[in-house]
Each structure stands twice: as structure tokens, then as C-alpha cells.
Amino acid sequence: MKSRVVAAADGVPLHVGTCGTGPDVVVLSGGPGLVNYLADERLAPDAMRAWFPEPRGVGRSGGGPHSMAQAVADLETIRESLGITAWSALGHSWGSDLAVRYALDHPASVTRGVGVAGHGLHKDRTWSAAYERGRASEPDLDLEWAEDVWRALSDSFVDWIHEPELFRRLADSPVPMHFVAAGDDIRPSWPLQQLAALVPAGRFETLPGVPHDFWATHPASWRQLVNASLSERT
């Protein structure tokens, strides 16, 4: 895994890991506020050049608490600094939601979005109740995280999903988006199904027999899924 440092518009250093060769894909892990736990060559898609940003305020990147708009701006700065015309956006969990916003805000920069085990664009009590009931059954992966970054991005996410034009923008999006639910996830999958039905070039599927963090528990299944999703015809 190689590493690059890109200066954000405000001068904050952003670290980006990279591996592979071929078409470009930016890989966004969950959180928010977690290190990029997908930055592992063993998890990277085949025949692609993968980029793994370390979020602002987390890991080796500078800065601190910030909004989703800033997170998207950082992704655009990274893309432009690397000389990439457009790339795919692959996200897991929170990274799935960020990939959706990135595709909506910069459709010319994103050739396709792949969201795996995402939350979806909602704040629903029944979803939260199901999550809380199953939360104790999920293993603790002991990942590095920044609580202040988590809090700021979580608040910004709620502001975003309350924007009046959000669902109109989703329904008008030209970016193909593929949403995947983990079959054994404690998180209900209906929000991902709704997104796939709303986006014109949207698709939904469930991967049976795997938990939320199957990138860690079933790495072969993770690689098989991302290879298929990123290589499929639009």
C-alpha cells in the first residue's frame, strides 16, 4: 500500500492510501470518524486503482470536526489533485451514505456508486429500535475513531436528510447506484431498497449469510461482491 498526501483547500493535509492499477475507485469506510479500515490490499478490487482516503481529523489526516459538505469537498480536492477525471465510489456503512451524497453533489465526478450495508437517508425510530436490539450481538472490532468527528458528521447528516430537495435530486440522479444489504446485518435493509427504487439507475440486492462487517469476517465474499459490482455494465 502506497501513501499520498494531498492539501485540502484550507491547507489541511489529507492522507490517501492507494494500490492496484486500472480504472479508479475511491473507497470510503464506515463511521463516521473511523479510520479507513478498508485500506488493505487484500480487500481491494481486482484490476482497479483503489484510493483510500483517511478522513479529515482521523488517523494521519489533519483537521478536526467537520460537515458532510466538507467531507465531499475533500474528496473532490483529492480527485482533482490526483488528476483523475472521474472515479467509482465504493462505500461501506456510513461510507455508503457519503458516497450517495458525493454522487449527488458531483455527478460528473462519479461514474458509479456502490453502497454496502449502508444506513440509508432517514432518521427512523423503528430502524433505530431494531438496531439497538441487536447491537450487543455485534463484535467490537476495536477500530481507532475520533468521537468529535463522529458527532459533527452525524449532526450534519441529519441536516442533510432534512433538505427539501433531497429526494427530488435522488430521483433525477444520472449516476448508477448499486445498494447491497448484508443478509445477517442487524440493520433493516428497507432504506437501501428505497434508495435503489428511487434512483433511476438504482439496483438492490441482499448478500445472504454475512454480517454487517463482513469485510472483516468474510473477506473473500467482500472481494467477490466489490469486483462484481464495480465491473458490471451500467
Side-chain angles (χ1 to χ4, degrees):
M1 180 77 64
K2 299 178 180 178
S3 182
R4 299 277 295 271
V5 180
V6 171
D10 57 359
V12 168
L14 303 172
H15 280 255
V16 189
T18 185
C19 66
T21 58
D24 294 287
V25 55
V26 59
V27 183
L28 310 171
S29 70
L34 282 173
V35 296
N36 195 328
Y37 49 73
L38 299 175
D40 185 332
E41 292 187 34
R42 295 169 296 181
L43 300 174
D46 296 330
M48 298 194 76
R49 184 168 59 166
W51 299 93
F52 306 91
E54 294 185 17
R56 174 183 290 251
V58 181
R60 295 171 293 176
S61 290
H66 57 284
S67 66
M68 283 190 81
Q70 182 64 66
V72 168
D74 287 344
L75 293 177
E76 269 296 270
T77 296
I78 291 169
R79 182 191 63 79
E80 292 171 352
S81 298
L82 297 173
I84 297 170
T85 302
W87 51 7
S88 298
L90 165 66
H92 173 258
S93 197
W94 156 262
S96 171
D97 305 326
L98 181 59
V100 171
R101 174 153 186 178
Y102 185 33
L104 290 182
D105 290 357
H106 297 279
S109 300
V110 181
T111 55
R112 74 170 66 238
V114 179
V116 183
H119 176 278
L121 311 189
H122 69 92
K123 190 72 171 175
D124 182 84
R125 290 182 180 179
T126 60
W127 189 99
S128 297
Y131 171 76
E132 291 299 330
R133 284 195 300 270
R135 191 173 180 183
S137 67
E138 287 198 321
D140 184 1
L141 298 179
D142 194 28
L143 297 169
E144 178 187 347
W145 74 302
E147 183 175 0
D148 54 351
V149 174
W150 169 82
R151 192 171 303 280
L153 284 171
S154 296
D155 291 344
S156 179
F157 170 80
V158 174
D159 290 339
W160 176 50
I161 63 174
H162 289 166
E163 290 182 1
E165 296 297 317
L166 176 58
F167 291 100
R168 177 72 270 159
R169 294 176 64 203
L170 282 162
D172 291 338
S173 175
V175 180
M177 299 188 197
H178 180 193
F179 298 97
V180 183
D184 293 342
D185 202 337
I186 64 171
R187 298 153 184 80
S189 64
W190 58 261
L192 299 181
Q193 293 175 276
Q194 287 183 330
L195 282 172
L198 185 58
V199 175
R203 189 164 78 84
F204 171 81
E205 71 170 303
T206 298
L207 187 64
V210 296
H212 182 72
D213 290 313
F214 70 97
W215 59 271
T217 60
H218 298 69
S221 296
W222 172 266
R223 292 192 70 253
Q224 184 178 17
L225 173 70
V226 299
N227 281 330
S229 298
L230 292 168
S231 63
E232 67 186 4
R233 292 181 180 272
T234 58

